[in-house]
Amino acid sequence: MTPHRRAFVAGALGLATVPTLAKATVPMTKFQVLEAVIAAWKKQDVEGVLAHVTDDIVWRNSGGFAPAIRGKAAMRQALTAMAAKIKTNAWRIFDYAENDHRLFMEGVDEFWFHTGEHIAIPYAGSLEFRGELIREWREYFDGRLSIAMKNGEPLSDEVKEMIGRPVAR
């Protein structure tokens, strides 16, 4: 029986009908979107990360050392290459602020390569959103720290202090 016919029959029989209520969905906050991205990346789930970005994403992940990665296909390629090198990661956010279209964040991108190298890069960044999807991703950090750590230098006391803070909730 179709929904319209059910309503007609119920009305003819004097029965009350209750409209079906669509489940209301509460939009995710910008920080919740970032948390979903982080959770996916901790599992090296490239498609899980990409589910939260627009097709025309602009990802400035080099702190200005290299050109932006443009488009979801290019981001997929970059993330897949990174995932192949990384054994584990402990990406954390310490502080953030958001408005209707942007999330500002401060955190650490910390990971261990299959080769045993340990990298911990304190950074700040900005995510610009279109709806619930990230449209532009900018990260700002000192690339010299990454180079030094890749060359075997230990974490400085300053970096240890910067990355030893509690995570945002």
Side-chain angles (χ1 to χ4, degrees):
M1 189 180 302
T2 66
H4 297 294
R5 186 171 173 159
R6 279 190 213 119
F8 174 76
V9 170
L13 296 174
L15 302 172
T17 60
V18 178
T20 304
L21 298 176
K23 287 187 177 180
T25 57
V26 177
M28 293 174 73
T29 66
K30 307 300 182 255
F31 185 66
Q32 288 170 325
V33 172
L34 177 59
E35 287 181 310
V37 168
I38 290 171
W41 186 238
K42 283 186 176 181
K43 297 183 289 187
Q44 295 180 349
D45 176 4
V46 171
E47 294 306 316
V49 172
L50 294 174
H52 298 285
V53 304
T54 61
D55 290 341
D56 62 343
I57 179 74
V58 176
W59 184 26
R60 301 176 194 281
N61 73 335
S62 70
F65 286 155
I69 294 167
R70 295 178 183 276
K72 193 178 271 191
M75 189 173 188
R76 178 180 287 109
Q77 186 176 15
L79 288 174
T80 300
M82 289 170 64
K85 296 176 185 177
I86 295 172
K87 182 177 180 182
T88 57
N89 72 74
W91 179 10
R92 300 182 303 283
I93 302 299
F94 303 128
D95 289 300
Y96 69 94
E98 66 181 76
N99 62 26
D100 60 337
H101 68 283
R102 186 171 311 280
L103 173 76
F104 294 96
M105 59 191 167
E106 180 187 10
V108 61
D109 198 0
E110 184 172 18
F111 47 91
W112 294 259
F113 289 114
H114 290 288
T115 59
E117 294 167 303
H118 173 225
I119 309 291
I121 305 168
Y123 74 93
S126 172
L127 304 177
E128 181 184 327
F129 284 77
R130 183 183 305 136
E132 288 189 14
L133 297 177
I134 301 166
R135 195 211 92 47
E136 185 172 10
W137 186 328
R138 294 188 302 270
E139 296 174 288
Y140 304 95
F141 59 90
D142 185 345
R144 295 172 299 179
L145 290 174
S146 176
I147 292 167
M149 286 180 237
K150 286 179 183 177
N151 289 331
E153 293 183 31
L155 294 176
S156 69
D157 289 340
E158 183 68 20
V159 169
K160 287 178 186 176
E161 184 178 341
M162 290 176 74
I163 69 172
R165 299 171 16 224
V167 298
R169 295 280 175 227

